[in-house]
Amino acid sequence: MFSKDTKEAISLMMDVYNDRHSDAIILLTKYYFEVDEVIESTLSSFDEEKLTLTVRTESENILKDIKFKTEPLNSNEAAAYLLECLDQARKKAPKNVPKTRIELEIERNKNLKTYFTSVSGTKKISSNIVEISFKNGLDDLPDIKNDAFLFFIIPKFKKDKFPEGFSMSNYRAMVGKEDQKFFGAYYTIKKFKENEIYVWFVLHEHPGPLADWASNVQVGDTVAVWGPRTSFQPPKNTTNYLFIADETAQPAILASIKNLSHREKYICIFETQDTHSQYQYDLGNGHIEWIYRDSDKPGGGKKLMNRINELDIDIKDLYIFGAGEGKQMSNIRKLLKKKYPLRSNQMTLTGYWRKTK
Ligand SMILES: Cc1cc2nc3c(=O)[nH]c(=O)nc-3n(C[C@H](O)[C@H](O)[C@H](O)COP(=O)(O)OP(=O)(O)OC[C@H]3O[C@@H](n4cnc5c(N)ncnc54)[C@H](O)[C@@H]3O)c2cc1C
């Protein structure tokens, strides 16, 4: 039986696939389920045995099931079944059918490397953000700019060293095992220098391994990082930006703004706890509007959503980019899609973390 938490995670995963990977869902419907003339296909429901797609064709609506061999333990395992069907669909598809966004992403990820570096300093940015710098071991790390993010892996105990030849695939193989010795999460490169990076870690209630590590970090502590990747992809003619973020995605936005030319207009709607977690930031022509959660918990409350709802947005040549708690971002995505005729490439709003308590 799925727990409430697993149900929420699978539901969010389906939202993401419907929103960002509709090309993959269509490919799978056409060549795995062999449905012709698909007008629309979406992941519509799930239970312990299957994910169900609702497929709209010229003549009817059909339901198609992706059956699980065993009940998935989490959303990643449920997504793995979907990707397996996509793989089989690709084998059956004619050679000239273009690769979908997720297939291209998977291909790119195969070439990413794991680097080992160590903490060179820390600085307090606000009541809940600490900047940690990492130096050495990063000579080959490419500067891909914008929201470049890395998967950070830390040892459970400081005494544990990374085994010789350790890489992201070793990490993946140990996740969820009882004797898991290393833990990881994604973080953004706020500032890139030669052989050195600066990262803003959010410190939060109920810290997981990474936030806990960041609050006790010491110069010399070693981490492994895998990447870098990016998801900031504005259409070519973009002249206006709307950035939406809680603390976790503010580094991604501030790093991306650095690469905009002075001709572009932008506004940042930044959610934070209160005036203590707000920081001074000189953004030249653009500006930051701060939304305080005050008594609401991170990922909770409606203040950010209500503010977005109040905005009168001109969508011409606009790109909306941002991230925060998964459910919060999913609701904002749905609101914006309902209110404005946005093209799918005009919005990248991502769940960077998921509220579980
Ligand atoms: C592409 C990408 C880039 C990211 N960049 C950054 C970044 O630059 N800086 C940054 O701080 N985070 C960033 N994140 C988010 C970060 O990966 C998550 O917050 C992650 O869950 C932290 O891991 P953890 O081990 O501390 O907590 P977990 O073990 O994942 O979670 C433990 C508990 O903490 C809660 N929790 C997790 N994150 C938060 C939070 N931010 N506020 C309140 N409660 C929380 C969870 O709900 C859970 O109850 C990024 C995520 C992605 C996908």
Side-chain angles (χ1 to χ4, degrees), residues 11 58-59 70 106 141 145 161 176 259 273 285 306 315 330:
S11 172
E58 287 287 351
S59 51
T70 52
I106 291 168
L141 181 74
K145 303 200 184 306
K161 299 270 171 270
N259 296 311
Q273 198 62 49
N285 293 335
N306 291 344
I315 64 160
S330 170

Side-chain angles (χ1 to χ4, degrees), residues 158-187:
K158 275 199 183 164
K159 64 174 177 45
D160 289 339
K161 299 270 171 270
F162 290 98
E164 188 69 28
F166 180 88
S167 72
M168 183 66 174
S169 43
N170 300 114
Y171 172 78
R172 285 200 182 105
M174 67 174 67
V175 171
K177 301 244 165 82
E178 236 174 70
D179 59 346
Q180 188 176 339
K181 280 202 174 124
F182 297 91
F183 290 89
Y186 285 101
Y187 286 86

Side-chain angles (χ1 to χ4, degrees), residues 123-315:
K123 184 171 118 187
K124 197 171 171 182
I125 299 294
S126 74
S127 63
N128 66 355
I129 300 178
V130 60
E131 179 180 82
I132 304 181
S133 53
F134 300 85
K135 211 176 161 89
N136 297 327
L138 303 170
D139 330 65
D140 296 347
L141 181 74
D143 181 6
I144 60 167
K145 303 200 184 306
N146 296 327
D147 65 322
F149 56 89
L150 294 165
F151 193 76
F152 276 72
I153 306 172
I154 50 143
K156 183 172 177 183
F157 302 111
K158 275 199 183 164
K159 64 174 177 45
D160 289 339
K161 299 270 171 270
F162 290 98
E164 188 69 28
F166 180 88
S167 72
M168 183 66 174
S169 43
N170 300 114
Y171 172 78
R172 285 200 182 105
M174 67 174 67
V175 171
K177 301 244 165 82
E178 236 174 70
D179 59 346
Q180 188 176 339
K181 280 202 174 124
F182 297 91
F183 290 89
Y186 285 101
Y187 286 86
T188 306
I189 302 175
K190 166 70 177 51
K191 189 164 78 183
F192 187 103
K193 281 192 188 172
E194 209 185 310
N195 207 6
E196 189 173 20
I197 54 172
Y198 293 72
V199 181
W200 285 10
F201 284 76
V202 176
L203 309 178
H204 51 83
E205 238 189 15
H206 316 295
L210 272 289
D212 188 43
W213 174 88
S215 59
N216 295 299
V217 73
Q218 284 175 333
V219 169
D221 288 351
T222 307
V223 299
V225 295
W226 175 79
R229 297 157 65 190
T230 167
S231 62
F232 182 75
Q233 282 159 351
K236 275 207 177 72
N237 56 352
T238 303
T239 52
N240 288 298
Y241 291 83
L242 169 62
F243 294 112
I244 302 168
D246 72 7
E247 292 93 320
T248 59
Q250 289 162 15
I253 289 170
L254 297 173
S256 303
I257 285 173
K258 241 177 62 189
N259 296 311
L260 298 182
S261 80
H262 294 298
R263 291 184 299 280
E264 295 145 316
K265 292 197 211 117
Y266 57 89
I267 174 172
C268 303
I269 313 281
F270 279 1
E271 189 198 81
T272 195
Q273 198 62 49
D274 50 33
T275 49
H276 302 288
S277 53
Q278 180 186 334
Y279 45 86
Q280 288 297 322
Y281 208 89
D282 180 12
L283 272 183
N285 293 335
H287 77 267
I288 302 178
E289 180 180 324
W290 293 94
I291 307 290
Y292 303 118
R293 285 188 296 273
D294 290 322
S295 55
D296 294 330
K297 299 272 185 201
K302 291 234 157 76
K303 293 182 184 120
L304 180 63
M305 174 87 164
N306 291 344
R307 181 64 190 123
I308 305 295
N309 195 20
E310 276 169 19
L311 295 174
D312 184 12
I313 304 172
D314 177 2
I315 64 160

Side-chain angles (χ1 to χ4, degrees), residues 101-114:
R101 196 168 158 152
I102 196 153
E103 289 173 297
L104 293 170
E105 208 174 299
I106 291 168
E107 250 175 49
R108 276 195 303 271
N109 292 352
K110 278 187 188 146
N111 300 322
L112 297 178
K113 281 174 52 178
T114 307

Side-chain angles (χ1 to χ4, degrees), residues 309-345:
N309 195 20
E310 276 169 19
L311 295 174
D312 184 12
I313 304 172
D314 177 2
I315 64 160
K316 187 171 181 304
D317 300 331
L318 174 78
Y319 180 54
I320 303 171
F321 177 80
E325 198 281 327
K327 185 99 191 138
Q328 194 178 28
M329 287 299 127
S330 170
N331 289 337
I332 293 175
R333 248 186 348 246
K334 283 178 189 152
L335 168 83
L336 289 169
K337 271 186 163 175
K338 201 166 151 198
K339 278 184 79 172
Y340 303 97
L342 288 158
R343 292 188 315 279
S344 65
N345 64 351

